């Protein structure tokens, strides 16, 4: 299995094409920082600085029932300009099993889903079919899935198998999967995913103070032309969670 490593310097200024999309994945650890302070405002500051069109969050809800969100939907929009995708599960949670999706107001949410995943621990995923229409550009439609895979490789493999079965083989929709894959190795463990997706690893994201493991990944389907990922790091990001955010700039072939 081959993963795409970062082709850019994570310290360089951001340079994005007007037809590109910026996707981010961020395990916010229920806003509990490495200084042992729960500071949702700090997490939102980090998210606002990512400049992302879509953000997949993990651990966005508290662990115990009723799984209340770390921050309110209105607060997210006010601080980041992004809109949390709503899921019809009857909970006050921001997402499902801690997974949430934040999207730019420029996107229309065509459909949305949330699913449980198999494994030794309670895990799930959230998914949204998005469309963006901009003057001078072809309509852009993509499916975004946010996941937080299990701690055990056997569980992760079962979860990836279940996830892939949810994607119709014949569906010609650009799809990306973003999240905390909990896989330390860049060589093994995600083989069944790499058969249908190119996996972008921007470098170590965990632990945020001294990153060693590239646990967070973004996988893109063949409908994307290229793509590169990098880890976002600044003063707040190094303290807001035990993970650093991962950013990928991607472009649809139809753009």
């Amino acid at each position: 299995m081959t993963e795409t490593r970062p082709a850019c310097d994570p310290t360089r200024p951001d340079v994005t094409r007007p037809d590109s999309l910026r996707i981010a994945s961020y395990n916010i650890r229920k806003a509990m920082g490495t200084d042992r302070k729960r500071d949702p405002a700090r997490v939102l500051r980090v998210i606002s600085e990512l400049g992302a069109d879509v953000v997949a969050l993990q651990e966005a809800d508290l662990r115990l029932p009723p799984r209340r969100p770390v921050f309110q939907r209105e607060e997210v929009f006010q601080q980041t300009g992004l809109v949390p995708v709503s899921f019809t599960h009857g909970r006050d949670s921001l997402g499902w099993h801690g997974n949430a999706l934040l999207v730019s107001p420029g996107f229309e949410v065509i459909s949305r889903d949330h699913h449980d995943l198999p494994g030794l621990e309670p895990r799930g995923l959230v998914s949204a079919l998005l469309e963006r229409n901009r003057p001078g550009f072809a309509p852009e439609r993509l499916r975004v899935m946010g996941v937080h895979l299990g701690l055990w490789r056997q569980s992760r493999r079962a979860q990836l198998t279940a996830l892939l079965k949810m994607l119709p083989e014949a569906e010609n929709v650009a799809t990306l999967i973003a999240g905390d894959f909990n896989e330390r190795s860049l060589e093994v463990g995600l083989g069944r995913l790499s058969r249908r997706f190119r996996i972008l690893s921007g470098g170590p994201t965990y632990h945020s103070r001294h990153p060693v493991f590239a646990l967070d990944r973004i996988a893109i389907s063949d409908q994307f032309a290229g793509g590169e990922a990098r880890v976002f790091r600044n003063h707040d990001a190094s303290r807001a969670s035990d993970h650093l955010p991962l950013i990928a700039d991607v472009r649809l072939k139809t753009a």
Side-chain angles (χ1 to χ4, degrees):
M1 184 186 71
T2 301
E3 297 198 33
T4 303
R5 299 170 186 265
C8 60
D9 178 0
T11 63
R12 70 168 172 79
D14 295 337
V15 179
T16 57
R17 296 171 50 137
D19 58 348
S20 71
L21 293 166
R22 175 163 294 180
I23 310 298
S25 179
Y26 191 15
N27 184 330
I28 64 173
R29 198 194 186 194
K30 298 174 283 294
M32 180 62 73
T34 57
D35 54 6
R36 304 304 301 169
K37 295 179 181 178
R38 194 182 303 278
D39 191 345
R42 179 169 56 185
V43 172
L44 290 175
R45 285 199 303 270
V46 175
I47 294 173
S48 68
E49 292 175 9
L50 300 179
D53 299 291
V54 179
V55 180
L57 296 180
Q58 303 87 50
E59 299 193 30
D61 302 315
L62 300 180
R63 182 179 299 275
L64 298 177
R67 300 298 301 269
R68 290 192 174 90
V70 171
F71 22 62
Q72 298 302 311
R73 299 176 183 277
E74 298 79 7
E75 185 181 15
V76 174
F77 179 70
Q78 290 169 1
Q79 299 299 319
T80 70
L82 300 173
V83 179
V85 176
S86 298
F87 298 94
T88 55
H89 45 51
R91 297 179 180 176
D92 188 35
S93 306
L94 198 65
W96 184 247
H97 285 293
N99 298 294
L101 296 175
L102 313 180
V103 303
S104 166
F107 284 100
E108 178 185 358
V109 180
I110 305 298
S111 63
R112 67 207 77 193
D113 293 291
H114 63 280
H115 300 276
D116 293 327
L117 291 175
L120 297 177
E121 317 148 80
R123 298 285 176 173
L125 67 83
V126 289
S127 174
L129 181 62
L130 307 175
E131 184 171 278
R132 180 168 70 169
N133 290 279
R134 296 181 297 165
F137 292 91
E140 301 164 308
R141 179 171 285 201
L142 68 154
R143 185 183 307 282
V144 180
M145 306 181 80
V147 300
H148 187 183
L149 301 183
L151 296 174
W152 304 96
R153 182 170 287 169
Q154 183 177 358
S155 292
R156 291 195 293 272
R157 286 172 171 165
Q159 289 157 6
L160 288 174
T161 296
L163 184 156
L164 291 170
K165 287 181 179 178
M166 298 175 193
L167 296 174
E169 288 278 358
E171 184 182 51
N172 189 31
V173 175
T175 301
L176 61 88
I177 304 165
D180 179 356
F181 283 25
N182 258 323
E183 178 57 69
R184 298 184 179 189
S185 174
L186 293 176
E187 304 298 331
V188 298
L190 302 176
R192 62 200 64 201
L193 183 63
S194 67
R195 298 187 191 108
R196 292 176 61 180
F197 290 84
R198 187 156 64 92
I199 304 173
L200 307 179
S201 173
T205 53
Y206 180 88
H207 187 279
S208 58
R209 291 285 187 129
H210 302 286
V212 176
F213 299 114
L215 300 185
D216 303 274
R217 320 283 175 89
I218 295 174
I220 59 176
S221 65
D222 290 338
Q223 288 82 6
F224 289 96
E228 60 181 28
R230 65 184 182 278
V231 177
F232 177 89
R233 190 171 188 178
N234 65 9
H235 178 82
D236 276 342
S238 296
R239 290 159 177 78
S241 169
D242 57 352
H243 285 246
L244 293 170
L246 182 68
I247 298 171
D249 292 316
V250 299
R251 183 169 56 89
L252 292 169
K253 290 181 178 178
T254 57

